[in-house]
Amino acid sequence: MKIRIKDNSVRLRLTMSEINKLGNVGEVDCRTEFINQPFVYRIVQTDTAQIIASFVENEIVIGLPTNMIKELVDTERIGFEGQSGPVKILVEKDFACLDNTMEDQSDNFPNPNLKC
């Protein structure tokens, strides 16, 4: 899972296996191990109607409603966006890049802009 933070905007991009795990387990997380303590970002399934976000003890938790998770897993839907207080949240599928990259993209979704 990739995270991008800019001002009051948080964007999370998930690979195919992460979307499947979110659908099957109801949670997916990643961590960055800093010297003094880890930074964790997590998406959890919620029974809420909207996307919610919190930041507690160096952990960003995004609550994604069950129906949104089901739609990400079962359809071609690319993602969802919402607002949690002043923070804009975007959760989306991670597509393979069209340009050359050194990053392993074997678990990314096929890019819909790729012309075969």
Side-chain angles (χ1 to χ4, degrees):
M1 180 167 44
K2 296 177 189 170
I3 188 167
R4 180 186 213 172
I5 301 172
K6 183 176 187 318
D7 300 328
N8 280 343
S9 175
V10 176
R11 178 181 182 189
L12 297 158
R13 292 167 47 189
L14 289 82
T15 63
M16 291 188 292
S17 61
E18 290 165 338
I19 293 281
N20 287 333
K21 181 177 180 182
L22 185 59
N24 291 327
V25 179
E27 181 175 324
V28 64
D29 67 358
C30 286
R31 60 193 308 118
T32 301
E33 296 291 339
F34 288 99
I35 293 171
N36 55 343
Q37 60 192 21
F39 167 64
V40 179
Y41 44 106
R42 172 185 326 269
I43 299 175
V44 297
Q45 182 174 328
T46 64
D47 292 327
T48 61
Q50 299 177 348
I51 297 174
I52 56 174
S54 65
F55 181 71
V56 178
E57 297 181 10
N58 301 316
E59 183 174 342
I60 294 174
V61 179
I62 306 298
L64 202 58
T66 302
N67 63 316
M68 289 181 186
I69 292 173
K70 182 168 176 35
E71 194 169 342
L72 280 175
V73 172
D74 295 340
T75 72
E76 298 297 314
R77 177 82 185 237
I78 293 172
F80 289 94
E81 65 180 282
Q83 193 86 18
S84 183
V87 179
K88 180 181 174 184
I89 307 294
L90 178 61
V91 176
E92 61 187 357
K93 294 175 179 175
D94 194 9
F95 292 108
C97 295
L98 295 176
D99 56 356
N100 293 331
T101 182
M102 299 301 286
E103 179 181 333
D104 178 12
Q105 299 186 73
S106 60
D107 195 27
N108 289 21
F109 288 87
N111 193 308
N113 293 324
L114 184 61
K115 308 292 185 223
C116 296

